Amino acid sequence: MSRLVYHNKLSNIGGVSPFDQAVLEVAGTGAVDIVSPYVSISYLKRIINVSHEWRLISDVEAWLRSLPIRSRPNALSFIRSNLNQIHHCHMVHAKTVIGQGLAMFGSANFTNTGMLNRDELSVLIDDPVMIGELDTWFNLLWDQTASPVADETSDFVDWLGKRTESHAKSEKFTLSAKGRNVRASLVRMPAPEQEDNNRLSLGIVAHEIVVDEQKHYESLGEVIEFSINKMASNGFTFRQMSTSVHQSFSDTTTREIYFAILRYCANHVRSVFAVDTINRLIYSKGIFIQSTRESIFQVLAHYDEFLSQLVQHFDFSKAADMPGEEDLELSTGIQPVHQEILISDLIDAGFIDIEDKAGSLAQYRLSEDFEWSERYRLFKVAAHLWNAKHEHFLLHKPAIVIDQQKPESIPAPTKSIEDMVAELHTRRRAAHADAINQQEIEKFKKVDRILVYVLYKCFSNEKLHAFSDATVVAISRATGHKKSFVAKTLDSLLSRKGRGIVVVNNGYLEVTKDLDAERFDGYPLSLAAYMTSSLNAKSV
């Protein structure tokens, strides 16, 4: 039976993505055909690992252009290794995955962001006639296109890198493309009736009033603030703001207005880590609207997670490489192209210091002199981690800097060798304990994802066979965890007599009747799912 695919209450708070679940269902049917202008290598491999036999049609030029510099070599290597299974189709914009008797199509690209972090809408279908039509459409498109030329694609990536580094305009470079060019035309519409020129136009009157109100504003900043005060409560688009500004400053460029309005936006990727951002507006789905304290913390949550990941990755004393883009995207949902913008702003703000070494890539470390302004204190989790790490750094920071030019200034050691060895062993034991604690935390996160899936099925009154191979495989595909770990986790959910989270009833899993919030200690996503379900039950 066909069904719509969109994010639900559980996926909005970190639960399993319905899009990813649907894609894996299609991929699990066998060989798959994929069409998408933008794909991430990590997510494509996720599909491949399930289906094993695949073909991809993409706008390879647009795909490579969308990637940050650091990700292009990996994508190029993948394309060169799979030329026979990839066709380049200029200007293709469809997004679909077609399996054996099952298919999904809609607005979502096959990237981690498209599957996890955007409000998309797709349709999962099992209608044989429609799937047959999709197969015919794909094969026709496949026959009309060809694989990208390997050397030409390599030259294109090199050209993109040089163009980005120089920031200068250069001759256009496009990949060779075989196939038709779509040239459609609009449906002819009847001509509109002529308006009575003598009738009073309220639009003209309103325009004149606004111009009269704004003519005394002398700067772009003043008219931006005036327009925000007038429109923020009901929300406005960038086009509405641009129209308002041009009534007073007709020569102002769109770019100038764009960056001026971003200064007031709390959650835009280009302003979120800028030190001079004013938290006046929230940007969502093309609309700027008045912010509230609650909405600010809500929209900054994944940026807080991104900043927390950097705090945990870097140190104050020793520089390190930047963490992997794909790992950051999986854990935070922030695309690599946006990661570069955020990191650049963090460097400008003095949060991260760069260490350049001749002949090697730049490395980064946390700046010990960074001051947490009121703006940055909105990232509560990251601030807490930074302060704890900074206190530990100051506690173990050497009090005296050794001057290599003046060896006589080096004081005599105040500790015996035995004491220093004992202290070293203590630090090593503490580091080992921290590593064990981190492993436990990761284990809790894995169990939490499995538990959210089980709760979602139970709360949705969907039948979930207790410990059958089909159940274990479905959960493994949905969460990405090994089947052995899933089976062990399911067993643990029942193992504590009288304190289990789920029970078996007639061969199916059900939520324990006397379930309470205390049983979700350590499982924040599952607790949120349980509380949401409880509130919904009470409202009914």
Side-chain angles (χ1 to χ4, degrees):
M1 173 181 268
S2 302
R3 72 172 189 263
L4 292 176
V5 181
Y6 52 88
H7 286 297
N8 51 43
K9 291 182 179 179
L10 287 180
S11 62
N12 284 333
I13 59 173
V16 173
S17 166
F19 293 92
D20 182 49
Q21 193 171 9
V23 169
L24 294 181
E25 284 185 49
V26 177
T29 64
V32 293
D33 293 326
I34 307 163
V35 182
S36 180
Y38 306 110
V39 294
S40 65
I41 300 301
S42 61
Y43 195 79
L44 184 56
K45 288 180 178 178
R46 183 173 173 84
I47 301 175
I48 294 171
N49 289 337
V50 176
S51 61
H52 302 296
E53 187 177 341
W54 59 279
R55 293 184 298 175
L56 169 67
I57 296 176
S58 179
D59 185 340
V60 176
E61 183 178 324
W63 177 12
L64 292 172
R65 283 179 183 275
S66 70
L67 298 175
I69 294 177
R70 289 185 296 164
S71 298
R72 287 171 189 158
N74 183 34
L76 178 61
S77 175
F78 181 87
I79 293 170
R80 291 178 70 97
S81 300
N82 298 276
L83 281 175
N84 293 333
Q85 292 158 282
I86 300 174
H87 274 199
H88 169 49
C89 181
H90 181 59
M91 297 293 284
V92 70
H93 201 252
K95 295 104 176 184
T96 181
V97 56
I98 309 164
Q100 307 305 304
L102 202 62
M104 187 186 88
F105 57 87
S107 64
N109 288 311
F110 294 99
T111 63
N112 294 316
T113 301
M115 293 291 113
L116 305 177
N117 299 112
R118 284 207 171 113
D119 276 326
E120 309 282 2
L121 182 63
S122 295
V123 181
L124 184 69
I125 64 170
D126 58 3
D127 181 80
V129 175
M130 292 187 68
I131 293 174
E133 191 173 349
L134 276 174
D135 282 330
T136 301
W137 170 79
F138 180 91
N139 289 323
L140 180 62
L141 200 59
W142 181 266
D143 292 340
Q144 291 177 339
T145 55
S147 300
V149 180
D151 292 340
E152 184 185 54
T153 307
S154 299
D155 292 341
F156 179 70
V157 170
D158 291 339
W159 175 80
L160 284 176
K162 293 175 183 177
R163 186 169 178 265
T164 302
E165 290 173 2
S166 65
H167 298 286
K169 293 183 178 179
S170 57
E171 293 184 8
K172 190 174 182 180
F173 190 140
T174 59
L175 295 179
S176 302
K178 172 188 173 185
R180 67 187 181 191
N181 289 323
V182 177
R183 292 291 184 269
S185 60
L186 296 175
V187 175
R188 289 185 176 275
M189 300 286 287
E193 295 181 5
Q194 295 294 322
E195 185 176 345
D196 185 358
N197 293 329
N198 295 323
R199 189 182 302 167
L200 180 63
S201 171
L202 295 180
I204 295 176
V205 174
H207 173 77
E208 295 298 330
I209 293 174
V210 171
V211 169
D212 289 341
E213 285 183 350
Q214 295 181 343
K215 18 175 100 159
H216 64 281
Y217 291 105
E218 298 179 355
S219 70
L220 176 61
E222 287 183 352
V223 75
I224 288 283
E225 288 194 11
F226 169 83
S227 300
I228 290 175
N229 291 336
K230 182 176 64 174
M231 299 187 292
S233 58
N234 294 322
F236 59 90
T237 64
F238 176 73
R239 174 172 290 187
Q240 289 172 320
M241 171 59 71
S242 182
T243 300
S244 178
V245 170
H246 280 138
Q247 289 171 352
S248 290
F249 296 92
S250 57
D251 294 334
T252 306
T253 66
T254 302
R255 180 181 175 85
E256 289 173 330
I257 300 172
Y258 175 71
F259 284 102
I261 190 66
L262 287 188
R263 182 169 177 262
Y264 295 85
C265 187
N267 66 316
H268 194 280
V269 67
R270 294 188 178 277
S271 60
V272 66
F273 289 142
V275 293
D276 61 344
T277 295
I278 302 171
N279 304 313
R280 176 71 188 278
L281 302 171
I282 294 294
Y283 181 75
S284 177
K285 301 177 182 178
I287 302 295
F288 294 91
I289 196 164
Q290 179 67 50
S291 67
T292 63
R293 184 171 181 80
E294 293 76 13
S295 64
I296 286 178
F297 282 115
Q298 183 179 359
V299 297
L300 292 183
H302 65 296
Y303 292 114
D304 194 0
E305 174 66 20
F306 178 81
L307 196 59
S308 299
Q309 296 277 354
L310 296 183
V311 172
Q312 294 179 75
H313 177 80
F314 292 120
D315 202 352
F316 288 100
S317 55
K318 185 178 179 181
D321 295 331
M322 194 63 64
E325 294 174 337
E326 291 186 355
D327 292 336
L328 282 175
E329 185 176 11
L330 279 173
S331 59
T332 66
I334 296 176
Q335 302 175 62
V337 65
H338 290 165
Q339 292 177 28
E340 291 194 351
I341 296 171
L342 296 174
I343 290 169
S344 176
D345 284 344
L346 288 172
I347 293 171
D348 291 342
F351 187 86
I352 297 176
D353 290 336
I354 306 179
E355 287 193 7
D356 285 320
K357 296 180 181 179
S360 61
L361 295 174
Q363 291 188 312
Y364 309 83
R365 63 182 178 86
L366 297 175
S367 173
E368 61 178 290
D369 300 323
F370 181 74
E371 295 184 3
W372 286 80
S373 62
E374 183 178 354
R375 165 68 187 171
Y376 269 76
R377 284 198 292 271
L378 293 172
F379 308 103
K380 289 186 175 182
V381 177
H384 175 76
L385 292 173
W386 190 93
N387 285 325
K389 201 166 192 175
H390 192 246
E391 288 180 10
H392 184 270
F393 165 72
L394 294 178
L395 186 64
H396 296 87
K397 183 180 179 181
I400 298 176
V401 178
I402 297 177
D403 188 346
Q404 298 293 341
Q405 303 300 322
K406 298 179 180 180
E408 67 276 8
S409 66
I410 303 174
T414 58
K415 296 180 181 179
S416 66
I417 296 296
E418 292 78 7
D419 289 341
M420 285 190 284
V421 170
E423 183 177 341
L424 178 60
H425 283 310
T426 300
R427 291 185 183 179
R428 285 179 175 173
R429 284 195 296 272
H432 180 66
D434 288 342
I436 292 176
N437 288 337
Q438 187 60 37
Q439 291 176 2
E440 289 296 317
I441 291 172
E442 292 302 318
K443 183 178 178 181
F444 268 82
K445 288 181 178 179
K446 291 168 69 176
V447 173
D448 199 8
R449 290 197 67 186
I450 294 173
L451 186 52
V452 163
Y453 180 91
V454 174
L455 290 175
Y456 169 72
K457 292 293 184 181
C458 291
F459 290 146
S460 302
N461 295 320
E462 295 187 35
K463 297 295 185 182
L464 198 64
H465 286 280
F467 313 118
S468 71
D469 290 340
T471 295
V472 172
V473 170
I475 297 177
S476 175
R477 288 178 177 176
T479 62
H481 302 324
K482 293 181 178 180
K483 290 186 286 186
S484 57
F485 182 81
V486 172
K488 186 178 179 181
T489 301
L490 287 176
D491 184 61
S492 69
L493 297 179
L494 284 165
S495 62
R496 293 172 292 174
K497 294 182 179 179
R499 294 294 295 170
I501 293 176
V502 293
V503 295
V504 178
N505 185 8
N506 294 327
Y508 296 101
L509 293 177
E510 289 185 357
V511 176
T512 306
K513 291 183 179 179
D514 60 345
L515 193 61
D516 55 50
E518 293 182 2
R519 300 194 199 177
F520 296 101
D521 186 26
Y523 305 112
L525 297 179
S526 301
L527 176 59
Y530 165 73
M531 296 300 291
T532 302
S533 175
S534 299
L535 290 173
N536 289 340
K538 290 178 180 177
S539 64
V540 174

